[in-house]
Amino acid sequence: MTVRERLREKISAAFYRHGLLCASYPVPIILFTSASILACCYPLLRLPLPGTGPVEFTTRVRDYTVPSHEPQGDLGERPDWYRGPPVAYIQQVLVKAAVSPWDSTLVPVDVFRSPLGRVFSLLEEIRNHVHNDGSGVRSLEALCLQVTDLLPGLRRMQTVLPEHGCLLVSPGNYWQNQRELFDSDPDLLKTVHQHEPKGLHTTATLRDLLFGVPVKHTGVSLYSRKRVVTYTITMVLGSYDARFLSSLRARLRQLHPSVNCSLREDQMVHVHFKEEIGMAELIPLVTTYIILFAYIYFSTRKIDMVKSKWGLALAAVVTVLSSLLMSVGLCTLFGLTPTLNGGEIFPYLVVVIGLENVLVLTKSVVSTPVDLEVKLRIAQGLSNESWSIMKNMATELCIILIGYFTLVPAIQEFCLFAVVGLVSDFFLQMFFFTTVLSIDIRRMELADLNRRLPAEAGMPLPKPGPLRPREAPPPPRPSPHTITLQTPAFRNLRLPKRLRVVYFLARTRLAQRFIMVGTVIWIGILAYTDPAGLRTYLAAQVSEQSPLGEGGAGGLPPHLGVAPGFPGPGGDPASTLSVLPAPAEPTPLPENQSQGHHGAPRDVPLQTQAPPLVPQISWGAEDEEGWRKLSFRHWPSLFSYYNITLAKRYISILPVIPVTLHLSPREAIETRHPQDTRHPPPPSLKTNDLPADLTLYKVAALGLAAGVLLVLLLFCLYRVLCSRNYGQNGVAHGRRRRGDLPCDDYGYSPPISEISPLLLRGHSMDIECLASDGMLLASCCLAGQIRVWDAQTGDCLTIIPKHGLRRSSSSGCWEQRDGWDAMGVAEPENLGGGTEPGGGVFDEDEGYPLRRRTTPRPALFENQPDLTPLIDTNFDSQPPSHLLLTPPRDGFDFGGLVERAYLEHEPPSPGLTASYPSSSPLSGPPPQRRRSLGYIQPPVPQGQGTPDWESAVWAMELRGNLIAAGRSSGKLELWDAVEGSLRCSNEDGVSGITALAFLNNRIVAARLDGSLDFFTVDINKPLGLLQYRGPPGRSNMPPSPCYSSEDVISCQLTRSVQCAHQKPITVLRAAAGRVVTGSQDHTVRVYRLEDSCCLFTLQGHSGGITAIYIDQTMVLASGGQDGAICLWDVLTGSRVSHVYGHRGDVTSLVCTTSCVISSGLDDLICIWDRSTGIKLYSIQQEVGCGASLGVISESLLVTGGQGCVSFWDLNFGDLLQTVYLGQSSDGQGVRQLVVLNNAAIVCDFGSELSLVYVPSVLEKLD
Amino acid sequence: MPRLEEHCWSRSCASRVESKHFSGGNWVASRAEEMMSIVTTVLSNAYGSLHSVRTANLIRRGLVLFTVGVVLALVLNLLQLQRNVTLFPEEVMATLFSSAWWIPPCCGTAAAVVGLLYPCIDSHLGEPHKFKREWASVMRCIAVFVGINHASAKLHFANNAQLSLTLAALSLGLWWTFDRSRSGFGLGIGTAFLATVITQLLVYNGIYQYTYPDFLYVRSWLPCIFFSGGVTVGNIGRQLAMVSPKGHNVLFQFRHNLDFGH
């Protein structure tokens, strides 16, 4: 044993133990895992939340120096971005101008025309300001930020924004800073508005940029109530010169003194901008996320055969995500700060870690044997995959370690995260996911149990299956058809694509949700970018509490005693500040109060009056940092016009210079443009409110109209999409109750004509065998009576035995029933007797095959269900209730017991009772007769032509007009179907015939002991003279020869394969010159029909074979007790595909040219693609449905259910119709179903046969 | 081919067209597109209506691959744009999608050709690709490919050699993780070689340029990207080829049989 193998074993054992542990204590383990996840994620709380908003830092103006590039450790609260010089210094001159006193002769335009006009002189003043001290002459030209061209895309702004020079913006830019243009401009507002972008804008507009204050604060409006115009002149300085700035400040203050100004001037704010995510960066990011989601989708889609697919998929995703979080958390804990963009590398991390292990685990656990305990299943599944999991993990770790040695910091960091993530993912897989899986598997088993129980309860005697006795003849069913629908919950519909899309939209309310999400996002964008609204408010709220916030002074109690006005002009700001103590508190009062304090007292009474005649210019705390009210993209967008990015850089905003302008009415009138007076006179206060309201109404009306339009549009869309009026079906079927409509979940009912089954009555007991060759239909009941029907009309043509023998057969029937009863009683005794352990052992004493009876079921025909699984053929684990009993030699007398049972079931027919002793050849006194159990006949040699009424017919086939019947005594009889006469019989075998195949002139019989006999039917007439009758059957290529009654027919055993299988043969099928047998010994054998030569032994199932399908195209499908379906190539004997589809036995298999249809004990019908073996879809049937299947055409599937047959559309899996065979659906299941070639189906229904025509299919076939 | 060259020249004169690494295969691509269309016609003529299903299938696969190529080209182009790996005139920067209109189709065509070539070669060699044939794996492959591009565009490496070596290792890892077939390796190498030569030609003719060329005119990691791109597209193509040949046509044969009472 190599080291590798030892290692492998050890790992496997460890995983096994671990699986046991996980499955045993699911709840504590999940709690533990959750706790560890939370603990590992705890360090994440300390990480800053990602965001793109700017960050601020405030320093004092007085001792400001340009920060150095080197980080300095001692500056604790200094952020790390505050290094090096800023991109620019922003110096704003805040101008508040008003025409005072306000004159009633003034027109509205006068509010802003002359104040705006003053900007030009101010600009000139600023531009020409020169500060001269000992060190040299400084002007604005030297200090300001020189800009070059605008970006190419901004040509239309070329006239407005400065190029090739100082970046100095003011409202004057609208008029190219030329007074003449301004004076000759007839409509100022129009000029301002024409540069505004249309529609919704999220970035700063040109108006914001030029005015420097938010639009509604400018007062440039015809309806301004305050009549104060506010704007800024923004200087962008490349370098900082305190002396120049202070002299400029002093100069402006001197020219335009602001008497009541109390703005603080000692703080400069540094604003740092994060990297902006633009469209170009967003698209690759979104793409990677889309790929990630596709990956997760395709991975989790493979989770199958579990209770809750979604739950497990969620658990898988949670596993991966929380392992990532854990890895980040752990890395943070150990001092590594993530520098990578988390959002960017996240998809790659997920992809690297992957969901594969999780899926492999699920698959491995699911594929363990179902009958094991959950704990053991988990443990086995884990240990099966342990080696590959460990190997994969080691490989991945190696690869990542290699990546670590690339020595690229980013890759190293990525690898570090990936390694920790992988390890934590492994931990989570082992603890979290395995436990979740165990819980899921347990739930599934519980559900299975619940589902299985009623199905078994429906059969009082599960083991005898079709041979169970009937207590009473079924009640007559006068009008035996109703059309009802199955419970919709069990249906798995596949609708046309168009409908599915619409239904999907309707079901998920996708449109509404989409609109809702869109609205939320839109509101979010608005709130995020809205400069004046929520954001400022929030910022104010936050800054009130934060000591860092420079607006924090607003929250402090106002020091009204401090002199509000700064000392006069000319003072050096440094000296000014030294005079005033540092926190020169501004007046945080609202406007009115500050006015009351500083302003003229005469204003106070006027406040109550409606229109204030004198516009008040007041300075408040909100003016200190007017730029805060702007969009946070204000500065980045201004700089971006000149291709200067502010991402990851900062700008410094200097304290504003306040300028107050009072203009006289005369000046206002003088600067008036001739067209200004065309504007209406100032409306009164009441009408002042109106425009705003009007806008509101307009918006409301427009919104309403848009809504109505949308509704109409959607309605039209609906009409286009759903052009068919489904409601009309309800009208058409108006006579039915709504509940009876075979409509699906969405109210769609397919147009259906009523199908009425034709009931063929006559049998007195349950129908056992059913055979048809298209024209004729032969059935055999438990009583041994064979009836031949016309498949077209449903007339009974022949009864075998004929009426003369009726009595004896009837008596035989009762005798047989008694036998079953006796056997049920005798069961414990046989158990105690401890007969032979396995099948295939012969009792030498008797010289009689004492095999366990494995197939107490009828012969099988093509297109006919195999009922073995229903009967539970696993006899090895069952009490030997079906032993072919030899009469108990110890002389135990069943008489009393049997007699009682017999009397209970005896019909009150004295004649029958009187006659039975004579009818049975073996019958002596009743107890002995009963002990013979009906079919345990000593092989009494009977002459040719003497029918054997006492043994039951186990298998029957019909070809031409010959019925081949295989009896429990091993006798093969050939009957004439029309005349009802026995043509020949063969008694070469002694073991009961369990299955028959009749092809051309050969009959193959499978016997109970596993042997296979080939018979040849010889007619003493040349074959050429045989008449051929009728259209060729669907399943048999050569048409059946019609044997005329004159021919002498002999049936000879040509070859007997004694040990065809080790265990009883369960299925026998013949087609295309091949005979295929399936057995309990897990193998399928293929024989050639002509020379009975065994061609292949096909191995691949891990359970007994329960169903076989073979057709003319040589495609062979087999299903076994292991739930597997194998497709074989009959020519080569190779396995084409091998799929697991069912939990429990596969009960029936049918193929069409394109797909394979299987049904299983789990009440599931699966449709597989025949060429690829991929499951197309599955149909969940009702609990306890029959397992019989039939294919009428390529696309029409019929299944038998409890007292009904259902038609399915194979293309989409729709239930087309359910035809109820009787009135009461009392659990009388359809066990056999034969599709005739005239598109009719025949199924057994208790003691009746039901012939259902499918009319439209008939038309198509013709 | 001359026609296309001329077209490129005219474009380059008009608006200084840029290109992306993946689009390097455009000449081969469009030439092969013509060939493919010829082959398709020949096929459809030869096999007639019998094989129309197969042709339709081929065309469908080609369309899917084309779309994938177009989307990948757009996205990866954006990635390269961000880092100014490729330089273009300013007008192109302003209107990225309109001026470089011919790049995505070329990439798409190249993707279609490579993606169809992979399963074709597989079938010719008689060794169908069975390794990890599922969509989840394909998605993973695409993600890794995008990641390699991401790394090439965004990571700061000490020098170009280090970057190229890392990317080469990553590409080989991609092939080993998702492909592991000889034909895939060979075809990937072929794609990388051809595409690099074409890119060299493009840059030589001044259609666009790389910022720090260290391998003649282009970046030395370009072949690695081409290689991994070839493997990725081949992976998609193989998966498509595996999914497609299901015989769904038979299902519709008896479609009308369903309508009871009609």
Side-chain angles (χ1 to χ4, degrees):
Chain A
M1 188 189 273
T2 61
V3 179
R4 183 188 148 100
E5 278 168 359
R6 267 211 306 275
L7 189 68
R8 187 170 178 162
E9 259 185 23
K10 283 219 169 112
I11 288 176
S12 180
F15 271 68
Y16 192 87
R17 282 196 299 275
H18 177 76
L20 277 183
L21 174 78
C22 282
S24 311
Y25 306 102
V27 177
I29 285 181
I30 282 192
L31 285 180
F32 163 71
T33 323
S34 314
S36 46
I37 292 175
L38 289 180
C40 288
C41 293
Y42 174 72
L44 289 181
L45 291 180
R46 279 183 288 173
L47 283 184
L49 283 177
T52 55
V55 186
E56 291 170 9
F57 178 63
T58 309
T59 53
R60 306 279 291 272
V61 171
R62 199 172 58 179
D63 46 2
Y64 173 77
T65 50
V66 176
S68 62
H69 281 282
E70 285 74 33
Q72 290 153 337
D74 55 335
L75 304 166
E77 57 183 32
R78 178 173 288 191
D80 34 353
W81 49 262
Y82 186 60
R83 280 177 211 158
V87 178
Y89 299 89
I90 309 282
Q91 175 67 65
Q92 283 189 311
V93 178
L94 181 58
V95 181
K96 288 195 175 189
V99 177
S100 69
W102 186 254
D103 200 336
S104 58
T105 58
L106 295 174
V107 293
V109 184
D110 292 331
V111 172
F112 54 85
R113 180 174 273 273
S114 54
L116 277 181
R118 293 292 283 273
V119 75
F120 299 102
S121 56
L122 272 172
L123 276 173
E124 203 167 338
E125 181 65 37
I126 292 170
R127 280 183 191 279
N128 296 336
H129 182 78
V130 171
H131 176 72
N132 198 349
D133 60 0
S135 57
V137 177
R138 289 183 201 84
S139 69
L140 187 68
E141 282 293 326
L143 290 176
C144 75
L145 187 75
Q146 300 286 337
V147 291
T148 55
D149 284 340
L150 281 169
L151 274 183
L154 302 167
R155 305 247 178 259
R156 60 185 180 82
M157 291 196 180
Q158 254 175 344
T159 56
V160 185
L161 286 176
E163 275 189 306
H164 303 289
C166 273
L167 183 53
L168 179 68
V169 289
S170 70
N173 286 69
Y174 278 121
W175 299 275
Q176 280 93 48
N177 291 329
Q178 290 169 26
R179 178 85 200 204
E180 300 79 44
L181 286 177
F182 178 79
D183 285 337
S184 58
D185 190 356
D187 195 344
L188 299 180
L189 284 179
K190 195 179 158 198
T191 312
V192 171
H193 274 297
Q194 73 184 4
H195 290 288
E196 291 303 293
K198 308 283 185 297
L200 181 74
H201 49 83
T202 54
T203 55
T205 63
L206 187 65
R207 190 170 174 172
D208 286 337
L209 287 180
L210 295 189
F211 277 90
V213 286
V215 174
K216 61 179 179 184
H217 292 241
T218 56
V220 182
S221 156
L222 291 177
Y223 309 106
S224 166
R225 287 179 61 193
K226 280 167 68 184
R227 296 188 183 115
V228 176
V229 173
T230 313
Y231 55 90
T232 63
I233 299 169
T234 306
M235 291 169 270
V236 181
L237 305 176
S239 56
Y240 179 72
D241 188 328
R243 271 169 291 192
F244 172 79
L245 287 175
S246 59
S247 78
L248 179 67
R249 180 181 296 264
R251 171 75 183 155
L252 289 177
R253 188 168 299 220
Q254 190 185 15
L255 288 176
H256 310 284
S258 308
V259 278
N260 51 4
C261 177
S262 61
L263 302 186
R264 53 190 298 177
E265 301 175 346
D266 60 336
Q267 288 190 335
M268 60 196 292
V269 182
H270 311 279
V271 184
H272 177 253
F273 295 93
K274 297 265 177 64
E275 193 168 15
E276 275 196 70
I277 298 179
M279 207 50 170
E281 309 212 5
L282 215 55
I283 288 177
L285 199 64
V286 167
T287 315
T288 51
Y289 273 90
I290 287 174
I291 294 174
L292 173 69
F293 281 119
Y295 168 63
I296 291 178
Y297 168 74
F298 282 120
S299 300
T300 52
R301 202 177 60 161
K302 289 185 291 185
I303 297 179
D304 211 352
M305 294 188 68
V306 291
K307 173 74 180 166
S308 156
K309 209 173 152 166
W310 283 105
L312 274 191
L314 186 72
V317 173
V318 162
T319 305
V320 173
L321 293 192
S322 47
S323 71
L324 281 182
L325 285 180
M326 278 170 79
S327 96
V328 179
L330 286 176
C331 287
T332 320
L333 188 68
F334 292 112
L336 185 116
T337 43
T339 56
L340 293 175
N341 186 344
E344 255 173 31
I345 63 164
F346 173 74
Y348 302 123
L349 275 176
V350 171
V351 164
V352 162
I353 289 176
L355 293 165
E356 263 70 21
N357 269 351
V358 167
L359 303 176
V360 163
L361 271 185
T362 315
K363 207 169 174 182
S364 159
V365 168
V366 162
S367 59
T368 50
V370 190
D371 45 352
L372 281 180
E373 205 185 336
V374 176
K375 261 195 260 185
L376 297 179
R377 283 185 75 185
I378 297 279
Q380 257 191 27
L382 270 186
S383 76
N384 282 346
E385 287 299 329
S386 60
W387 182 244
S388 72
I389 286 179
M390 289 309 283
K391 220 166 55 179
N392 275 343
M393 179 150 161
T395 322
E396 281 179 344
L397 283 181
C398 279
I399 290 176
I400 290 172
L401 276 181
I402 291 171
Y404 194 77
F405 289 111
T406 52
L407 301 179
V408 180
I411 291 185
Q412 278 180 329
E413 193 183 326
F414 182 86
C415 288
L416 195 61
F417 279 127
V419 165
V420 182
L422 266 182
V423 173
S424 50
D425 186 51
F426 179 73
F427 166 76
L428 285 185
Q429 274 165 22
M430 285 303 113
F431 284 92
F432 177 69
F433 189 78
T434 310
T435 319
V436 170
L437 192 63
S438 78
I439 292 175
D440 187 270
I441 297 278
R442 186 165 293 135
R443 276 179 64 208
M444 188 177 75
E445 299 221 327
L446 284 180
D448 266 9
L449 213 61
N450 289 338
R451 257 165 24 85
R452 205 64 70 82
L453 274 179
E456 279 165 7
M459 294 182 196
L461 279 175
K463 284 159 206 160
L467 290 179
R468 69 175 191 271
R470 289 193 59 83
E471 266 62 42
R477 295 180 175 88
S479 65
H481 61 83
T482 45
I483 294 174
T484 32
L485 79 162
Q486 280 182 298
T487 44
F490 284 112
R491 277 183 290 142
N492 181 6
L493 286 162
R494 280 170 69 91
L495 295 163
K497 265 206 181 106
R498 184 189 65 166
L499 285 181
R500 266 190 288 164
V501 168
V502 175
Y503 288 151
F504 175 73
L505 289 180
R507 212 168 44 239
T508 54
R509 274 102 183 142
L510 211 61
Q512 287 102 308
R513 285 178 193 183
F514 185 73
I515 291 171
M516 223 165 67
V517 168
T519 317
V520 168
I521 289 175
W522 186 58
I523 290 173
I525 288 174
L526 281 187
Y528 196 56
T529 54
D530 180 21
L534 196 61
R535 203 177 162 74
T536 333
Y537 175 73
L538 284 180
Q541 292 289 320
V542 170
S543 60
E544 263 180 22
Q545 285 133 28
S546 82
L548 258 180
E550 45 289 306
L556 297 174
H559 293 199
L560 292 176
V562 176
F566 282 100
D572 192 27
S575 65
T576 310
L577 287 168
S578 65
V579 168
L580 279 175
E585 290 302 328
T587 49
L589 293 173
E591 216 167 299
N592 291 350
Q593 268 178 309
S594 74
Q595 205 171 44
H597 193 265
H598 309 288
R602 62 183 166 96
D603 292 343
V604 179
L606 285 177
Q607 285 296 314
T608 53
Q609 285 182 10
L613 284 180
V614 179
Q616 299 305 310
I617 295 175
S618 55
W619 296 92
E622 76 276 0
D623 293 325
E624 270 177 13
E625 283 156 352
W627 53 270
R628 274 184 201 285
K629 299 197 185 100
L630 294 166
S631 158
F632 74 100
R633 296 187 178 223
H634 184 87
W635 303 117
S637 55
L638 176 63
F639 283 94
S640 72
Y641 290 156
Y642 298 97
N643 204 5
I644 300 169
T645 177
L646 290 186
K648 295 184 171 176
R649 298 159 85 183
Y650 75 101
I651 56 171
S652 300
I653 297 171
L654 303 170
V656 295
I657 302 173
V659 167
T660 310
L661 297 175
H662 286 282
L663 295 101
S664 65
R666 194 176 52 83
E667 193 184 348
I669 291 170
E670 278 170 2
T671 55
R672 221 184 250 176
H673 191 270
Q675 293 193 8
D676 282 352
T677 45
R678 290 185 312 160
H679 288 284
S684 69
L685 183 66
K686 276 183 184 172
T687 50
N688 267 352
D689 284 338
L690 207 57
D693 289 344
L694 264 184
T695 333
L696 199 69
Y697 293 140
K698 256 189 263 176
V699 166
L702 275 178
L704 200 67
V708 169
L709 198 70
L710 196 70
V711 166
L712 284 177
L713 198 76
L714 283 179
F715 183 71
C716 292
L717 202 67
Y718 168 78
R719 291 306 296 252
V720 168
L721 277 175
C722 307
S723 52
R724 289 160 76 178
N725 192 354
Y726 302 124
Q728 281 178 0
N729 282 316
V731 178
H733 301 291
R735 60 205 161 85
R736 288 192 200 140
R737 280 181 292 118
R738 178 76 189 162
D740 282 345
L741 272 179
C743 60
D744 57 24
D745 293 341
Y746 314 110
Y748 169 70
S749 67
I752 278 178
S753 64
E754 292 197 357
I755 298 174
S756 54
L758 185 64
L759 285 193
L760 313 179
R761 295 201 191 89
H763 284 292
S764 54
M765 309 236 349
D766 273 9
I767 286 165
E768 175 81 25
C769 310
L770 197 56
S772 165
D773 67 341
M775 303 297 287
L776 295 178
L777 183 66
S779 62
C780 176
C781 70
L782 280 180
Q785 188 189 47
I786 300 173
R787 278 172 181 257
V788 182
W789 316 79
D790 188 338
Q792 306 284 344
T793 60
D795 299 333
C796 183
L797 300 175
T798 322
I799 301 171
I800 305 169
K802 291 200 188 296
H803 291 284
L805 298 167
R806 182 68 178 266
R807 199 196 261 171
S808 80
S809 74
S810 163
S811 135
C813 134
W814 288 114
E815 179 187 44
Q816 204 173 335
R817 189 208 59 197
D818 287 349
W820 280 109
D821 285 349
M823 230 160 54
V825 175
E827 190 176 310
E829 202 266 340
N830 279 319
L831 256 177
T835 49
E836 75 282 350
V841 179
F842 289 79
D843 192 342
E844 278 83 9
D845 292 349
E846 283 293 300
Y848 188 82
L850 205 83
R851 298 189 56 93
R852 296 181 178 201
R853 224 198 114 192
T854 51
T855 50
R857 56 186 183 78
L860 299 161
F861 301 93
E862 282 165 300
N863 292 338
Q864 204 170 321
D866 187 342
L867 297 168
T868 321
L870 276 184
I871 306 158
D872 194 354
T873 40
N874 190 6
F875 289 98
D876 290 351
S877 59
Q878 275 187 0
S881 59
H882 297 290
L883 287 177
L884 281 174
L885 290 177
T886 50
R889 263 165 270 156
D890 53 0
F892 181 82
D893 194 3
F894 293 99
L897 290 168
V898 176
E899 186 68 47
R900 202 175 61 231
Y902 168 70
L903 284 174
E904 277 170 16
H905 301 294
E906 189 71 358
S909 162
L912 278 179
T913 325
S915 63
Y916 68 76
S918 65
S919 65
S920 167
L922 259 193
S923 63
Q928 265 114 18
R929 176 187 60 76
R930 284 176 200 124
R931 224 176 289 150
S932 74
L933 300 179
Y935 48 80
I936 305 180
Q937 299 270 349
V940 181
Q942 283 182 315
Q944 181 128 357
T946 41
D948 170 20
W949 299 119
E950 277 63 45
S951 57
V953 175
W954 280 359
M956 189 170 69
E957 266 287 17
L958 176 64
R959 282 288 173 275
N961 53 357
L962 278 186
I963 299 173
R967 293 192 174 267
S968 57
S969 59
K971 203 168 144 185
L972 177 73
E973 295 171 347
L974 282 178
W975 296 83
D976 191 303
V978 180
E979 299 180 357
S981 58
L982 182 66
R983 303 301 295 269
C984 74
S985 80
N986 188 304
E987 298 164 36
D988 291 341
V990 287
S991 182
I993 295 176
T994 57
L996 269 180
F998 193 168
L999 205 65
N1000 300 341
N1001 58 346
R1002 284 174 195 274
I1003 299 175
V1004 187
R1007 296 191 188 268
L1008 202 51
D1009 57 359
S1011 63
L1012 201 63
D1013 289 349
F1014 290 79
F1015 297 94
T1016 312
V1017 179
D1018 291 323
I1019 308 139
N1020 61 347
K1021 195 169 152 184
L1023 207 71
L1025 290 180
L1026 291 176
Q1027 315 149 9
Y1028 285 84
R1029 185 202 64 176
R1034 259 171 42 84
S1035 51
N1036 48 337
M1037 196 86 93
S1040 316
C1042 181
Y1043 304 100
S1044 64
S1045 54
E1046 298 89 47
D1047 302 334
V1048 177
I1049 295 174
S1050 64
C1051 178
Q1052 284 171 355
L1053 180 67
T1054 51
R1055 169 121 193 259
S1056 176
V1057 185
Q1058 269 310 323
C1059 263
H1061 282 282
Q1062 303 298 318
K1063 289 190 176 178
I1065 295 171
T1066 50
V1067 207
L1068 174 71
R1069 290 279 188 278
R1074 298 283 184 276
V1075 176
V1076 186
T1077 58
S1079 159
Q1080 282 288 114
D1081 62 2
H1082 304 189
T1083 59
V1084 176
R1085 281 180 179 237
V1086 181
Y1087 294 87
R1088 194 151 52 208
L1089 190 60
E1090 298 94 62
D1091 54 358
S1092 356
C1093 161
C1094 177
L1095 297 176
F1096 305 109
T1097 303
L1098 310 175
Q1099 288 172 331
H1101 283 279
S1102 53
I1105 310 298
T1106 52
I1108 284 180
Y1109 177 88
I1110 183 172
D1111 63 10
Q1112 290 299 326
T1113 56
M1114 291 272 195
V1115 164
L1116 172 63
S1118 63
Q1121 285 174 324
D1122 50 351
I1125 297 163
C1126 292
L1127 292 177
W1128 311 86
D1129 185 358
V1130 182
L1131 294 177
T1132 63
S1134 61
R1135 190 165 70 185
V1136 179
S1137 60
H1138 180 230
V1139 289
Y1140 282 93
H1142 296 278
R1143 296 200 292 272
D1145 304 2
V1146 175
T1147 53
S1148 185
L1149 265 179
V1150 185
C1151 296
T1152 68
T1153 54
S1154 59
C1155 51
V1156 179
I1157 302 139
S1158 67
S1159 72
L1161 265 191
D1162 49 358
D1163 300 321
L1164 207 64
I1165 295 178
C1166 295
I1167 287 87
W1168 312 81
D1169 189 274
R1170 185 156 147 180
S1171 52
T1172 59
I1174 294 171
K1175 181 150 90 173
L1176 297 177
Y1177 56 92
S1178 59
I1179 302 168
Q1180 177 72 57
Q1181 283 195 296
E1182 279 178 6
V1183 173
C1185 267
S1188 44
L1189 283 179
V1191 172
I1192 296 179
S1193 74
E1194 269 308 303
S1195 55
L1196 192 61
L1197 172 75
V1198 57
T1199 62
Q1202 294 284 79
C1204 61
V1205 286
S1206 305
F1207 295 90
W1208 305 83
D1209 178 353
L1210 264 184
N1211 293 339
F1212 300 105
D1214 301 344
L1215 175 65
L1216 293 172
Q1217 198 169 16
T1218 300
V1219 177
Y1220 274 76
L1221 304 175
Q1223 270 189 328
S1224 57
S1225 54
D1226 51 352
Q1228 182 74 257
V1230 171
R1231 294 187 307 267
Q1232 300 185 43
L1233 203 147
V1234 177
V1235 177
L1236 306 180
N1237 56 4
N1238 55 0
I1241 57 164
V1242 180
C1243 52
D1244 68 326
F1245 183 56
S1247 67
E1248 296 164 359
L1249 280 178
S1250 190
L1251 191 61
V1252 182
Y1253 284 103
V1254 190
S1256 63
V1257 177
L1258 185 63
E1259 289 161 21
K1260 295 288 177 194
L1261 282 180
D1262 290 342
Chain B
M1 184 147 168
R3 183 182 57 79
L4 194 88
E5 197 173 2
E6 188 186 302
H7 168 73
C8 282
W9 273 107
S10 64
R11 289 295 304 177
S12 71
C13 293
S15 65
R16 301 276 297 157
V17 194
E18 59 89 24
S19 178
K20 191 197 68 82
H21 52 265
F22 206 75
S23 73
N26 51 32
W27 284 352
V28 189
S30 39
R31 194 180 54 183
E33 185 190 28
E34 289 174 13
M35 277 175 62
M36 201 183 75
S37 64
I38 292 169
V39 165
T40 315
T41 20
V42 166
L43 267 183
S44 54
N45 286 338
Y47 293 114
S49 59
L50 269 180
H51 287 255
S52 63
V53 175
R54 192 163 159 248
T55 315
N57 180 21
L58 205 66
I59 289 173
R60 200 169 55 222
R61 267 159 52 199
L63 275 181
V64 172
L65 286 166
F66 181 82
T67 320
V68 169
V70 167
V71 171
L72 277 180
L74 284 174
V75 169
L76 301 182
N77 210 355
L78 273 176
L79 264 179
Q80 302 284 337
L81 284 188
Q82 285 168 28
R83 303 298 297 194
N84 291 337
V85 175
T86 47
L87 284 184
F88 1 63
E90 286 148 1
E91 303 89 43
V92 183
M93 194 69 176
T95 51
L96 171 71
F97 289 96
S98 57
S99 86
W101 63 270
W102 56 275
I103 290 178
C106 288
C107 295
T109 321
V113 169
V114 171
L116 290 176
L117 219 54
Y118 262 79
C120 179
I121 283 184
D122 277 348
S123 67
H124 272 289
L125 288 179
E127 36 188 43
H129 193 253
K130 292 282 181 195
F131 182 68
K132 287 192 188 171
R133 277 272 65 92
E134 52 196 13
W135 276 113
S137 167
V138 172
M139 284 299 150
R140 223 176 163 186
C141 183
I142 298 175
V144 172
F145 174 59
V146 174
I148 289 176
N149 273 280
H150 203 134
S152 80
K154 284 213 155 179
L155 293 189
H156 301 282
F157 286 85
N159 50 31
N160 264 329
Q162 195 186 23
L163 171 63
S164 308
L165 282 180
T166 312
L167 287 188
L170 279 176
S171 317
L172 277 182
L174 178 91
W175 169 78
W176 194 75
T177 322
F178 298 105
D179 195 318
R180 290 193 202 179
S181 70
R182 285 182 300 125
S183 60
F185 191 76
L187 207 52
I189 293 279
T191 312
F193 177 74
L194 217 58
T196 314
V197 166
I198 288 165
T199 322
Q200 295 275 15
L201 286 177
L202 278 179
V203 178
Y204 179 74
N205 289 329
I207 290 175
Y208 72 112
Q209 55 176 329
Y210 281 86
T211 35
Y212 306 105
D214 60 337
F215 176 56
L216 298 180
Y217 299 99
V218 298
R219 302 292 289 266
S220 51
W221 43 258
L222 209 58
C224 308
I225 298 280
F226 282 129
F227 175 77
S228 48
V231 169
T232 307
V233 172
N235 216 343
I236 303 172
R238 280 167 168 169
Q239 186 68 30
L240 283 173
M242 206 195 78
V243 173
S244 301
K246 276 199 294 180
H248 278 306
N249 50 338
V250 224
L251 276 179
F252 299 99
Q253 214 168 343
F254 283 91
R255 175 83 186 271
H256 294 286
N257 286 6
L258 304 170
D259 297 331
F260 281 83
H262 272 196

